Amino acid sequence: MSNATDETFISQLLAQMTLEEKIGQLNQINPGDEFDPSLLQEGKAGSLINASGALTGMGFSDSGSAELSNHFQKLTLESRLKIPLIFGRDVIHGFRTVFPIPLAQAAAFDPDLARQAASIAAREATTSGIKWTFAPMLDIARDPRWGRVAEGNGEDPFLGSQMATAIVQGFQGEDISAPDKLVACAKHYVGYGAAEGGRDYENGEISEPTLRDIYLPPFRAAVEAGAGTLMSAFIDLNGIPATANRRLLTDVLRGEWGFDGFVVSDWESIKELIHHGVAEDDAHAARLALQAGLDMDMVSGVYLNTLGESLRQGKISMEEIDEAVRRILRIKHRAGLFDHPFTDPLRATRDLLTPESRDLARQFARQSMVLLKNDRDLLPFKDFRRILVAGPFVHARGELFGTWTPDGRAEDVTPLDEALRQTAPKGTELWFTENVDMALHLAHQADAVLLLLGEHPVRSGENCNVSDLGLPPGQAEFVQAMTALGKPLALVVFAGRPLAITQQVKVADAVLYAWHPGIEGGAALGEILFGQASPSGRLPITFPRATGQVPIYYNHKNSGRPIDPNGEFKTRYLDLPPSPLFPFGFGLTYTRFEYSNLKLSAETLRGALEINAEITNIGTSPGTEVVQLYVRDLVGSLTRPIRELKGFQRVELQPGETCRVTFTLREEDLAFTRADGTFGVEPGSFHVWIASDSKSGLNGHFRL
Ligand code: NOJ
C-alpha cells in the first residue's frame, strides 16, 4: 500500500514532468542492435528489458552485466529529471543458480523452499542491475499440451496461491529497496492457461465463477503479498483481450483488491490488439490499453508514438496518463531506485552461485521428484553390481535446466552420468550409453536397467505446445525393446509437463518423474536412486492416460451422470477408463503410510473446525508424507467441485512412528462465487478428507 513519503515525492516529480517525459515512463524498450542512446538521455524510456540476451553473451565477465546496466542507467540519468530506469528480466526459476522448473517446485509441496529459492534468485539477479523479474507465473493450467504448463504451479488454486505468496515474499523481502531484492511481476493476468487446444496465444473462454474461484486466486494472493507489478496475458478472454480488459485490470485488480502497483503488457501485446480485432490502429490500441488500466508498454512502442497525439485530440485525458506514471514512479521509488540507481559490480563475485545456493537447488530438486511406481521396491537400487544407464539424457547438463534460463550456464552443471557415478555406492558399476543398439547389447550383461528419458527443454515453455502427450519420437519403442530383456527396469522421466506414459508405466518396475530439475538435478537424482534420500514430491497436476483425456483435473464438477465404470449412460470414454493415470497430489516414497482415526472437533463448523488424523510410517525406512486436506460442498446454488484442496503438511516419520496431523478449516475457506455472483459460504453438508492424494483418504462429514 502506498505511503505518504512515496506519494508526496511522486506528486512533486509529476508536477515537473512534460507530457513527453510522462509518456517516456510508460515505455519499456529492448536494447537490441539498433539501440539509440538518446531514448534514454531524453527520458523516453522508463524501463529496459533484457530478454533479448543483451546482457548475456556480450563477452562481459560476471561483473560485466552490472557495468552494462550501470552504463544504461548513466545515460538515463543524463536526462532532465534523472528518473532512473528499472531493468526487467525473466528470472523465472533462478538466475545463475537454476532451480527446478516452477511446475517441479510446486511438486515439492513446500512453499518455504520456493521462498528461499526466489530470495536467492533475487540476490543473484540484482548483481546484474536487474531490479524487476517477470515472475512468478501464476497461470492455472488444466491442459498439459500447453508448453507453458512448465512455468506455473499446476492446476490447483490453493497450492498456486501458497506458491504465489511465498515466491513474491522471496523476491521482494520485507523491503524491496534492499540491494538484493527484486520487484515481482505476477503474470499472466489472467486466464492465459485456458488457451484453446493447449495452443499458446489462443483465445479462451472461462465462466465468471471459474475465473473467480480457480484462475484469479493466485493473483489475488500475489497482490496481498505485496507484488509490485502484474503482467497482462496475451489471451483473448471471453472476447476481450486481457491487455484491454478494464474490468479485470481496473475494477477487480485496483477496485476490489486495492492493488497500487503497475501493470506491464506482455511483449507487444498492446499492438496485438489490432490482430485481435478490437483496435483499428496503433493509436486505438494504445488508448484501449491505457484506459483499461495498463500502465507500461512492453516494447511495442505504441504508447510512445501515439499517446501524445491522442491526448491532443482529446481522446484520452492527462489524468489517465498521470495515473499510469504515478504507479510506475511509485514502484521505482519503493524499489529504492531514486536513491540507489547503480549496482556494485563486485557483488557478482560474491553473490553468484554460492555453495549455499547450490545446496538449496539440490534440496529443491530432490524434493520435487515424484515416485510414480516402485514395484517390489526396485528403488532405491541395492545389490545390483552392474547397472546399465541408457537414453537421451545420459550426459545431460544444460538439458536439466528446463525452459527460461537465459542466465544458467551448462558448464556449471555436473553432467548426469558423472553425478550418478559420484552418488552410486562403491562396488556398483554404471555403464552409460545414449545409443539404443549399444544399450540392447549391454543390457544382457547388466543386473538392472535405468532409462533416462523425456523431453528436451526446448520442447516445453513458451509456444512449445504438443498435440501428443506421449514420449518424444523413438522413446516408447526404446522402452519396449528394453523390456523384452526381462531385466529389472527403472525409468526416470525429465519433462516440463505431464506426459501420457501409460504404456511405459505398465512395463517398467519403477518410474520416477524428475521434471527439469535444475543445476543440481544430477546429484539430487543420484541421491534418490541410490537411497541417500527418499522421494517426497507429489503431483501438482493430474497425469492423463492419453492426450484425449485432456482437459482432466481433480477439482471437476460431478455432472448429472458421474463417472461409474459400470454405468452405460455415465460420463466415460469407450476406449479408456475415465480416471487419470495418476491423480493430483499423488506420489510414493520408499516407505508406506497408514492413515487412521480421523477426528473432527465438532459436527458443525462455527467459525472454524479442527480436523485431524493419525499417520503411521508402516514401512522400514524413514520417509516424508505430504498429508492433504480436501473438502466437498455437497449442495450449492452453483455446482461445486467434487474435491478441493484446502491444506497440506509435510511430515517426516521414522519407521513405526505415528503422528497426529491437524488442520484448521475456517468458514472463509469454504467461500465461493455463488449463483447470484456474490462471494461467500452457503450453509449445508460437507465432506472432508485427510488424504495422501486427491482420490483417496479418510472421509468425514460436517455441517456449516
Ligand atoms: C513473453 C512472455 O509471454 C512473458 O512471459 C515474458 O515475461 C516476456 N515475453 C518477456 O520476455
Side-chain angles (χ1 to χ4, degrees):
M1 294 298 115
S2 1
N3 69 41
T5 340
D6 284 338
E7 299 314 306
T8 319
F9 173 85
I10 296 161
S11 299
Q12 285 167 355
L13 186 53
L14 206 51
Q16 299 170 53
M17 292 171 80
T18 63
L19 173 63
E20 286 66 33
E21 284 163 342
K22 289 177 184 176
I23 295 173
Q25 285 304 304
L26 314 185
N27 186 37
Q28 182 180 61
I29 59 169
N30 174 32
D33 296 341
E34 289 158 37
F35 176 65
D36 170 7
S38 71
L39 283 173
L40 302 182
Q41 290 157 315
E42 291 167 16
K44 289 186 174 155
S47 172
L48 198 145
I49 182 171
N50 310 303
S52 66
L55 290 189
T56 55
M58 291 182 66
F60 283 95
S61 58
D62 283 349
S63 56
S65 295
E67 282 156 18
L68 187 63
S69 55
N70 284 343
H71 164 72
F72 287 133
Q73 193 67 288
K74 209 160 143 265
L75 290 172
T76 307
L77 296 187
E78 288 169 19
S79 62
R80 194 178 72 93
L81 290 173
K82 308 190 186 333
I83 302 176
L85 285 171
I86 182 163
F87 295 92
R89 190 165 177 82
D90 288 287
V91 184
I92 306 296
H93 51 112
F95 187 72
R96 185 73 178 273
T97 305
V98 176
F99 295 99
I101 54 167
L103 187 61
Q105 295 195 14
F109 275 75
D110 192 345
D112 193 54
L113 271 188
R115 180 185 293 111
Q116 295 176 50
S119 172
I120 287 172
R123 190 169 74 217
E124 291 194 346
T126 48
T127 66
S128 287
I130 294 153
K131 194 64 193 170
W132 181 24
T133 171
F134 304 119
M137 177 173 128
L138 301 177
D139 297 309
I140 296 291
R142 294 172 157 184
D143 188 340
R145 293 173 297 180
W146 189 50
R148 303 199 80 169
V149 71
E151 293 177 61
N153 299 305
E155 73 189 33
D156 184 61
F158 179 83
L159 177 60
S161 300
Q162 302 277 313
M163 294 295 286
T165 305
I167 297 170
V168 169
Q169 289 171 348
F171 283 138
Q172 298 194 162
E174 295 276 293
D175 171 12
I176 37 173
S177 74
D180 59 350
K181 288 297 162 198
L182 279 176
V183 178
C185 181
K187 70 186 188 184
H188 305 82
Y189 188 73
V190 56
Y192 189 38
E196 278 177 5
R199 294 181 301 275
D200 209 2
Y201 318 132
E202 268 290 358
N203 313 327
E205 303 261 342
I206 304 177
S207 73
E208 185 65 13
T210 302
L211 183 66
R212 293 232 171 224
D213 295 347
I214 303 290
Y215 288 86
L216 284 172
F219 288 94
R220 183 167 196 164
V223 168
E224 283 172 3
T229 71
L230 268 80
M231 185 187 294
S232 73
F234 282 127
I235 198 167
D236 161 359
L237 179 64
N238 301 337
I240 307 175
T243 294
N245 193 319
R246 185 171 166 87
R247 187 177 73 90
L248 293 169
L249 292 174
T250 296
D251 302 347
V252 173
L253 182 60
R254 271 95 182 204
E256 291 180 29
W257 301 352
F259 174 69
D260 72 350
F262 74 87
V263 178
V264 64
S265 75
D266 203 342
W267 192 275
E268 293 193 329
S269 73
I270 303 182
K271 198 175 169 70
E272 288 170 9
L273 294 174
I274 302 172
H275 293 304
H276 280 295
V278 295
E280 51 195 19
D281 54 23
D282 287 1
H284 189 192
R287 274 191 329 261
L288 283 178
L290 183 78
Q291 291 180 328
L294 198 138
D295 309 301
M296 187 181 278
D297 171 10
M298 185 185 281
V299 312
S300 85
V302 296
Y303 273 9
L304 185 72
N305 298 330
T306 71
L307 287 183
E309 185 53 26
S310 291
L311 180 78
R312 282 184 279 279
Q313 291 175 6
K315 291 181 172 164
I316 56 169
S317 68
M318 190 59 106
E319 288 69 39
E320 285 164 341
I321 293 182
D322 281 355
E323 188 50 40
V325 178
R326 180 177 282 281
R327 292 168 181 154
I328 291 166
L329 295 178
R330 185 180 290 143
I331 295 305
K332 286 188 176 181
H333 191 244
R334 213 172 276 171
L337 284 164
F338 287 92
D339 295 328
H340 305 288
F342 296 108
T343 302
D344 172 4
L346 292 179
R347 270 196 53 214
T349 49
R350 287 197 309 266
D351 287 346
L352 291 176
L353 209 60
T354 65
E356 297 75 40
S357 308
R358 276 192 181 271
D359 281 352
L360 189 80
R362 188 179 301 192
Q363 186 187 348
F364 217 167
R366 242 176 359 229
Q367 266 191 227
S368 67
M369 296 181 185
V370 186
L371 184 64
L372 297 175
K373 181 178 181 185
N374 198 19
D375 275 7
R376 286 168 280 116
D377 294 331
L378 174 60
L379 294 179
F381 285 127
K382 31 191 182 294
D383 309 329
F384 293 119
R385 221 164 50 76
R386 292 160 306 194
I387 303 175
L388 170 67
V389 187
F393 278 82
V394 160
H395 306 294
R397 286 187 105 170
E399 295 82 358
L400 299 177
F401 283 163
T403 184
W404 277 122
T405 53
D407 301 286
R409 298 189 190 169
E411 66 264 27
D412 294 338
V413 187
T414 307
L416 200 43
D417 47 354
E418 221 173 294
L420 294 184
R421 237 184 229 122
Q422 285 166 10
T423 39
K426 281 209 179 61
T428 304
E429 273 178 48
L430 300 178
W431 303 337
F432 296 97
T433 181
E434 280 177 306
N435 182 286
V436 179
D437 294 331
M438 181 65 89
L440 286 168
H441 172 72
L442 290 171
H444 287 286
Q445 294 132 54
D447 303 319
V449 176
L450 170 66
L451 297 187
L452 307 178
L453 306 162
E455 296 185 311
H456 191 278
V458 298
R459 197 176 182 267
S460 85
E462 186 171 346
N463 210 19
C464 295
N465 322 305
V466 294
S467 67
D468 181 351
L469 289 170
L471 285 166
Q475 295 189 16
E477 294 76 2
F478 185 30
V479 176
Q480 205 51 46
M482 295 307 286
T483 55
L485 307 172
K487 303 275 174 171
L489 177 66
L491 306 183
V492 172
V493 182
F494 297 93
R497 54 161 59 82
L499 292 171
I501 45 172
T502 309
Q503 183 55 24
Q504 293 75 43
V505 170
K506 206 156 139 200
V507 297
D509 300 294
V511 180
L512 180 72
Y513 219 76
W515 315 100
H516 290 132
I519 191 167
E520 287 289 321
L525 179 66
E527 289 171 11
I528 287 184
L529 292 175
F530 298 111
Q532 287 107 294
S534 55
S536 62
R538 298 290 184 270
L539 297 179
I541 187 164
T542 302
F543 270 45
R545 293 173 191 272
T547 315
Q549 276 185 323
V550 167
I552 182 168
Y553 46 91
Y554 85 96
N555 49 357
H556 65 89
K557 308 292 188 68
N558 202 37
S559 90
R561 295 188 170 188
I563 292 171
D564 170 357
N566 305 315
E568 192 179 348
F569 290 100
K570 302 289 189 178
T571 178
R572 67 170 176 184
Y573 292 108
L574 287 177
D575 56 349
L576 210 62
S579 57
L581 180 60
F582 297 108
F584 175 87
F586 178 81
L588 305 170
T589 186
Y590 294 154
T591 185
R592 280 163 194 76
F593 299 98
E594 195 176 76
Y595 284 58
S596 61
N597 285 327
L598 180 79
K599 287 199 184 120
L600 279 67
S601 61
E603 283 171 13
T604 304
L605 188 153
R606 289 194 183 81
L609 185 70
E610 285 202 346
I611 301 145
N612 58 53
E614 282 174 9
I615 320 294
T616 306
N617 179 345
I618 54 166
T620 51
S621 56
T624 299
E625 172 72 334
V626 179
V627 184
Q628 300 158 41
L629 176 76
Y630 293 93
V631 297
R632 176 171 178 185
D633 181 352
L634 290 177
V635 180
S637 59
L638 286 180
T639 55
R640 308 289 294 122
I642 60 163
R643 274 200 192 196
E644 293 176 277
L645 183 71
K646 295 293 176 188
F648 56 85
Q649 288 178 41
R650 294 175 62 88
V651 292
E652 208 188 314
L653 293 174
Q654 297 302 314
E657 190 183 348
T658 297
C659 78
R660 187 163 274 285
V661 173
T662 302
F663 293 96
T664 305
L665 193 65
R666 297 158 311 157
E667 183 169 329
E668 56 266 37
D669 298 330
L670 303 173
F672 68 102
T673 302
R674 298 174 288 204
D676 63 2
T678 59
F679 185 76
V681 295
E682 288 178 354
S685 290
F686 290 77
H687 274 193
V688 61
W689 293 261
I690 289 189
S692 63
D693 61 58
S694 60
K695 287 274 181 257
S696 63
L698 300 176
N699 179 220
H701 309 257
F702 66 90
R703 292 193 64 81
L704 174 73

